[in-house]
């Protein structure tokens, strides 16, 4: 299968979907406080997407998943299932990952939340992981290679004594949620496929405080670090433009995000 190239008209639809996905993360932010459950956060996001955005929560029914968001706390790397019994507590770090479908097109994004007052080592993990995402985005331009993205992310993570999760990756996105290519968050400069204008994909590094290895829990979804130490993730959907990446899921708190 070939990597699809989106037209300007199609990217316009991706811009709408991306903006909606970013809006969900902005909307939910004030609710993320000690004492709320991840199940409640999921319900609020579902109602917002369906009733306010008139859009579709892409995760519902995806490969049997039943929730709108993934809510991954502390040692959970990704795909944490929202649960009314999972109450957030002071000091937790949380990733909320949401994908919205509008007019047939997908926008996929996630961000980290510091719940209450967090320990310096957790704040540092969250910050460095966001920097990894931005360094990956900065590596995107027509003529560069997918390996350049992974290289930039891995270099920054390892410089900070963290490890990059290799078991999960970013992905092409459009009318299909997960399409080709796979975007690895580690790698070597100048390797892999050449990046072309009109490609749309996610970059979503998962960075661990300890070892890179993961395990899936018996619920079939929740992915945790093998050593029980914490993990963080940030995700954007981007479109490749003439001079670099356009971040389709940019939030308002990202005012200084370099747009080529
Ligand atoms: N949003 C995730 C990603 O970044 C995928 C979640 S699939 C689910 O690709 F079923 F777990 F929701
Ligand atoms: Co994704
Ligand atoms: Co996602």
């Amino acid at each position: 299968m070939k990597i699809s190239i989106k037209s300007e008209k199609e990217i316009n639809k991706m811009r709408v979907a991306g903006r909606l996905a970013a809006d969900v993360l902005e909307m939910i932010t004030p609710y993320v406080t000690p004492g709320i459950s991840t199940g409640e956060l999921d319900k609020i996001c579902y109602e917002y997407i369906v009733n306010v955005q008139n859009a579709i929560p892409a995760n519902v029914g995806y490969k049997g998943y039943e929730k709108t968001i993934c809510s991954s706390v502390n040692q959970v790397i990704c795909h944490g299932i929202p649960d009314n019994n999972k109450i957030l507590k002071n000091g937790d770090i949380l990733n909320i990952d949401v994908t919205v479908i509008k007019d047939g097109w997908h926008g996929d994004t996630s961000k980290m939340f510091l719940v209450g007052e967090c320990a310096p080592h957790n704040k540092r993990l969250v910050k460095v992981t966001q920097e990894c995402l931005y360094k990956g985005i900065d590596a995107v331009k027509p003529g560069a290679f997918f390996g350049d993205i992974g290289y930039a992310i891995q270099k920054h993570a390892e410089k900070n004594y963290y490890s990059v999760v290799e078991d999960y990756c970013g992905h092409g996105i459009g009318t299909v949620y997960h399409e080709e290519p796979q975007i690895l968050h580690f790698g070597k400069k100048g390797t892999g496929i050449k990046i072309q204008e009109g490609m749309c994909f996610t970059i979503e590094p998962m960075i661990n405080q300890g070892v890179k290895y993961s395990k899936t829990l018996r619920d079939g979804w929740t992915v945790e670090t093998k050593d029980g130490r914490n993990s963080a993730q940030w995700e954007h959907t981007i479109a490749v433009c003439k001079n670099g990446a356009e971040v389709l899921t940019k939030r308002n708190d990202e005012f200084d995000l370099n747009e080529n």
Side-chain angles (χ1 to χ4, degrees):
M1 266 284 288
K2 260 183 67 232
I3 300 169
S4 76
I5 301 294
K6 275 86 175 170
S7 67
E8 185 61 23
K9 246 172 118 176
E10 292 172 323
I11 291 176
N12 265 328
K13 302 210 171 184
M14 297 276 299
R15 287 187 177 107
V16 173
R19 181 64 245 176
L20 291 175
D23 283 343
V24 176
L25 294 181
E26 288 179 358
M27 178 280 300
I28 201 65
T29 296
Y31 293 96
V32 181
T33 50
I36 197 164
S37 73
T38 56
E40 286 171 86
L41 294 173
D42 185 75
K43 185 170 187 294
I44 296 165
C45 290
Y46 177 85
E47 301 290 337
Y48 187 76
I49 293 168
V50 171
N51 298 323
V52 179
Q53 298 186 329
N54 292 311
I56 298 169
N59 290 341
V60 178
Y62 179 79
K63 294 188 175 171
Y65 195 78
E66 293 178 349
K67 301 293 181 179
T68 294
I69 60 170
C70 295
S71 51
S72 304
V73 180
N74 297 337
Q75 79 283 2
V76 178
I77 295 172
C78 61
H79 304 166
I81 305 171
D83 186 336
N84 292 334
N85 296 316
K86 175 68 184 174
I87 311 286
L88 295 178
K89 58 182 197 307
N90 188 55
D92 282 342
I93 58 169
L94 163 72
N95 175 278
I96 294 182
D97 189 337
V98 69
T99 301
V100 169
I101 308 172
K102 186 71 171 182
D103 209 4
W105 294 83
H106 291 72
D108 182 6
T109 186
S110 81
K111 65 167 275 195
M112 294 299 297
F113 297 85
L114 300 168
V115 181
E117 201 47 57
C118 290
H121 74 94
N122 282 330
K123 285 189 191 167
R124 184 172 162 275
L125 173 68
V126 166
K127 177 169 171 280
V128 170
T129 304
Q130 188 176 30
E131 291 164 359
C132 283
L133 170 60
Y134 292 158
K135 284 178 188 289
I137 291 171
D138 279 343
V140 173
K141 59 166 189 268
F145 294 85
F146 280 103
D148 301 347
I149 300 173
Y151 171 80
I153 292 168
Q154 184 177 20
K155 188 173 106 185
H156 191 61
E158 291 179 355
K159 192 177 96 187
N160 285 281
Y161 306 100
Y162 295 137
S163 64
V164 177
V165 174
E166 297 178 358
D167 300 336
Y168 299 87
C169 54
H171 48 92
I173 184 167
T175 55
V176 176
Y177 190 170
H178 294 102
E179 61 181 40
E180 287 192 62
Q182 296 195 348
I183 316 299
L184 304 182
H185 302 116
F186 58 96
K188 289 189 173 43
K189 264 189 197 168
T191 65
I193 298 163
K194 220 182 230 182
I195 299 171
Q196 288 175 45
E197 193 174 346
M199 288 179 174
C200 292
F201 52 87
T202 73
I203 304 176
E204 47 183 300
M206 286 144 271
I207 304 297
N208 292 354
Q209 286 176 330
V211 299
K212 66 185 175 186
Y213 302 105
S214 71
K215 59 176 185 203
T216 304
L217 301 193
R218 293 185 58 183
D219 60 24
W221 283 104
T222 312
V223 178
E224 292 194 347
T225 58
K226 203 147 208 175
D227 61 9
R229 296 184 69 191
N230 285 350
S231 183
Q233 179 179 30
W234 295 78
E235 175 176 23
H236 273 313
T237 298
I238 67 108
V240 182
C241 299
K242 207 179 277 331
N243 305 312
E246 177 179 340
V247 179
L248 302 177
T249 47
K250 190 163 100 77
R251 299 179 308 280
N252 292 326
D253 61 273
E254 298 178 291
F255 57 90
D256 57 351
L257 219 183
N258 243 345
E259 284 215 2
N260 54 92

